[in-house]
Amino acid sequence: MSAAQTGSSAVRVRLAPSPTGTLHIGTARTAVFNWLFARHQGGKFLLRIEDTDRERSKPEYTDNILEGLRWLGLDWDEEPVIQSARIDIHREAIQGLLDSGHAYRCYATEAELTAMRELQAATKQAPRYDNRHRNLTPEQQAAFIAEGREATVRFRIDDGATITWNDLVRGPMRWAGADLGGDMVIARRAPADQIGDPLYNLVVVIDDAAMAITHVIRGEDHIANTAKQLLLYAALGAEVPVFAHTPLILNQEGKKLSKRDGVTSIGDFQAMGYAAEALANYMTLLGWSPPEGMDERFTLEQAAAVFGFERVNKAGARFDWDKLNWLNGQVLHGQGPAALRDQLQPLWTAKGWGGAAPNPMHADGAWQADLCELIGPSLTLLADGVEQAEPFFTCPPLNEAAQAQLASDGAQPALAALLAKLNDGPLDSDQAQLLLGEAATAAGVKKGVIMKSLRAALLGSLQGPDLLATWLLLHRSGEDRARIQRSL
Ligand code: GLU
């Protein structure tokens, strides 16, 4: 019985990102599924940084990936394994495969391989390595070496092999050795007495075995790799993990989500104002559906309590902005004003708002929390909290509708009457209501006129949150009288 079936606490899963770019939504979603499974099983979630592509890997991408995972709330259990530090172990394993005859040196030049592929294309054959150097005699090898040829190392793939596994998402899987493209390169081209840089399929198997990974959970674009890797597990005599291949994330057109779709990096979503909790919630729904009776809005912990692969879909998951926005609104609305303020503060600071100068009240925690309570219910994105807070931190210009309102019948006398009755002393909502009534009576206008005009004067617009609460906030920061004065 496999670990998956027994629910053993020895479950160990990993995310193995390549630091050749910022944290991508596909990688993050894979991380979510790994994390949920580990937490559900009481196992360990590990990281391995696959930085063996020396040209494209950058430390700043590693930092970005780790920061993004942390931001999403996906904590890991051991120090991340750095793949490049293990290259000697990978080379030793390759030497072992050469020694045991599972691998051999291939001296074919790039030009020869290109000619081979062109011929295959011309004769409508599938591209594959034709195993031409699989059985070289010692004399043939010596001749190539004497020519000064370099060599790759190739792992033998028996065309007649049948590779099977029971995928936690896709069920029984079956691959023919003949469909794997011929003997696979496991070490890059190098002088024939050396072993070149070890390649992905080999190192991933060595490292997963060394890390005692019990379940490999990754995107379905790795299915063909899994078939190849299973042959390597067998050749190396390593224990085979359970595999789960998660569906791809698709764009609105049903194609694989790519850079061309614009926003794909977790940092982009963060910059757009999505809350980590909403994004993590949404990514979980990209391929998994909660059990009957459970809301679509949940925390990672709540999902972890019930997560299993039996509810992961085989079909690709279409990215749905409306649902993400809805979830984000739910998360924002569910937070208390103080929590919302803590998240908005950095965005406000970036705008130069919320400091003690020029207005000390702008830096007041209670005033800021009240501002968040006022604007919170209408936010979809965190960034909306920048736009909506703006008229509370800076005096807004009067837009056309506001100007028209202020020029309309009764507006000026009504605001003048209100200003005459308004001082800088404390003001509560009952007093504010009373003042509005008195000013309307004094100016001989309906209460609606004065309310609309006051909104125009305070916010420079006829749209905005609750008027009374808006006024009280601006009164506390000592800005209401000046704004009314300006519109007279
Ligand atoms: N570095 C590989 C990737 O980012 C890891 C794939 C795997 O999980 O084995 O695609």
Side-chain angles (χ1 to χ4, degrees):
M1 214 183 242
S2 75
Q5 289 160 322
T6 58
S8 142
S9 64
V11 161
R12 289 169 66 85
V13 299
R14 78 332 186 248
L15 181 76
S18 305
T20 54
T22 53
L23 179 58
H24 183 272
I25 179 118
T27 308
R29 202 275 312 259
T30 299
V32 168
F33 282 11
N34 274 281
W35 187 94
L36 290 171
F37 183 68
R39 294 296 170 258
H40 182 76
Q41 299 279 338
K44 299 258 190 273
F45 171 58
L46 311 174
L47 295 182
R48 182 173 66 240
I49 304 299
E50 303 213 317
D51 60 342
T52 51
D53 183 339
R54 281 182 260 183
E55 269 152 47
R56 292 171 57 227
S57 296
K58 298 215 163 70
E60 53 267 39
Y61 290 139
T62 301
D63 294 343
N64 174 281
I65 291 166
L66 298 185
E67 264 165 42
L69 294 173
R70 250 184 237 118
W71 179 71
L72 288 165
L74 302 170
D75 54 333
W76 52 92
D77 295 306
E78 293 173 7
E79 270 304 298
V81 170
I82 307 298
Q83 191 161 62
S84 59
R86 298 176 40 79
I87 192 159
D88 291 342
I89 297 168
H90 303 144
R91 286 221 168 87
E92 266 169 44
I94 293 170
Q95 187 59 56
L97 290 171
L98 282 167
D99 294 346
S100 64
H102 287 100
Y104 62 89
R105 286 196 159 82
C106 166
Y107 300 86
T109 64
E110 275 304 343
E112 286 168 352
L113 293 175
T114 306
M116 172 192 76
R117 278 184 229 110
E118 281 169 1
L119 188 66
Q120 287 164 346
T123 53
K124 303 222 182 316
Q125 297 172 61
R128 74 192 310 265
Y129 172 65
D130 58 8
N131 300 347
R132 58 180 61 186
H133 285 186
R134 186 188 260 199
N135 296 312
L136 294 179
T137 61
E139 293 72 29
Q140 287 170 310
Q141 290 187 47
F144 284 134
I145 293 168
E147 259 180 55
R149 286 197 183 202
E150 298 197 319
T152 56
V153 178
R154 286 186 185 266
F155 176 76
R156 286 171 200 272
I157 295 181
D158 176 6
D159 273 352
T162 305
I163 303 133
T164 61
W165 74 94
N166 200 6
D167 196 285
L168 283 188
V169 177
R170 311 177 71 87
M173 301 288 287
R174 193 181 187 88
W175 270 75
D179 292 337
L180 292 176
D183 293 345
M184 93 172 122
V185 180
I186 55 173
R188 269 189 229 283
R189 199 176 297 284
D193 58 342
Q194 293 169 26
I195 291 173
D197 285 346
L199 288 176
Y200 164 75
N201 277 310
L202 183 274
V203 295
V204 94
V205 169
I206 305 284
D207 290 351
D208 281 340
M211 290 167 74
I213 297 302
T214 57
H215 295 71
V216 172
I217 302 163
R218 59 187 172 196
E220 68 171 46
D221 44 336
H222 283 289
I223 288 178
N225 286 331
T226 296
K228 294 177 185 169
Q229 289 171 21
L230 282 166
L231 295 173
L232 285 162
Y233 276 101
L236 293 161
E239 192 156 337
V240 178
V242 177
F243 289 91
H245 290 95
T246 57
L248 295 181
I249 304 176
L250 309 175
N251 64 15
Q252 306 280 340
E253 286 80 53
K255 303 230 171 67
K256 186 180 170 183
L257 194 75
S258 76
K259 285 227 169 72
R260 263 165 287 128
D261 293 298
V263 182
T264 50
S265 145
I266 293 304
D268 296 338
F269 288 94
Q270 193 176 2
M272 284 171 76
Y274 287 98
E277 199 181 319
L279 192 56
N281 186 164
Y282 182 63
M283 287 193 293
T284 307
L285 290 173
L286 277 174
W288 180 75
S289 33
E292 196 107 2
M294 181 169 166
D295 228 41
E296 286 203 309
R297 158 84 191 100
F298 45 72
T299 62
L300 282 175
E301 284 70 24
Q302 287 166 336
V306 296
F307 184 83
F309 282 98
E310 65 287 349
R311 303 196 65 82
V312 172
N313 307 322
K314 284 197 212 49
R318 230 175 251 247
F319 200 90
D320 178 353
W321 285 97
D322 290 339
K323 182 165 276 181
L324 174 59
N325 287 339
W326 175 78
L327 283 169
N328 205 65
Q330 296 295 305
V331 169
L332 292 181
H333 305 163
Q335 286 171 339
L340 187 54
R341 180 201 54 206
D342 291 347
Q343 291 183 68
L344 280 171
Q345 209 140 31
L347 307 185
W348 290 343
T349 304
K351 289 277 191 183
W353 306 336
N359 188 330
M361 187 54 83
H362 289 179
D364 182 86
W367 184 85
Q368 291 183 348
D370 288 347
L371 172 58
C372 288
E373 181 150 22
L374 176 62
I375 62 177
S378 59
L379 306 185
T380 300
L381 297 180
L382 200 54
D384 298 339
V386 174
E387 195 185 315
Q388 299 200 23
E390 182 162 21
F392 293 88
F393 288 117
T394 65
C395 185
L398 301 171
N399 72 17
E400 253 176 58
Q403 288 176 25
Q405 173 61 30
L406 291 169
S408 72
D409 267 0
Q412 292 289 318
L415 289 178
L418 182 64
L419 192 61
K421 292 173 187 296
L422 185 61
N423 59 36
D424 287 337
L427 183 68
D428 65 24
S429 69
D430 290 343
Q431 293 164 330
Q433 285 281 13
L434 213 62
L435 278 182
L436 286 175
E438 287 174 10
T441 311
V445 301
K446 290 204 176 115
K447 208 167 165 195
V449 172
I450 189 163
M451 289 182 70
K452 215 167 159 190
S453 306
L454 180 60
R455 179 184 289 285
L458 293 177
L459 294 175
S461 156
L462 299 185
Q463 259 90 55
D466 179 73
L467 177 65
L468 226 46
T470 297
W471 181 17
L472 295 182
L473 271 172
L474 289 168
H475 184 76
R476 271 158 73 191
S477 61
E479 288 160 295
D480 56 341
R481 300 186 82 243
R483 291 192 191 182
I484 297 170
Q485 185 72 59
R486 160 182 85 147
S487 54
L488 290 178

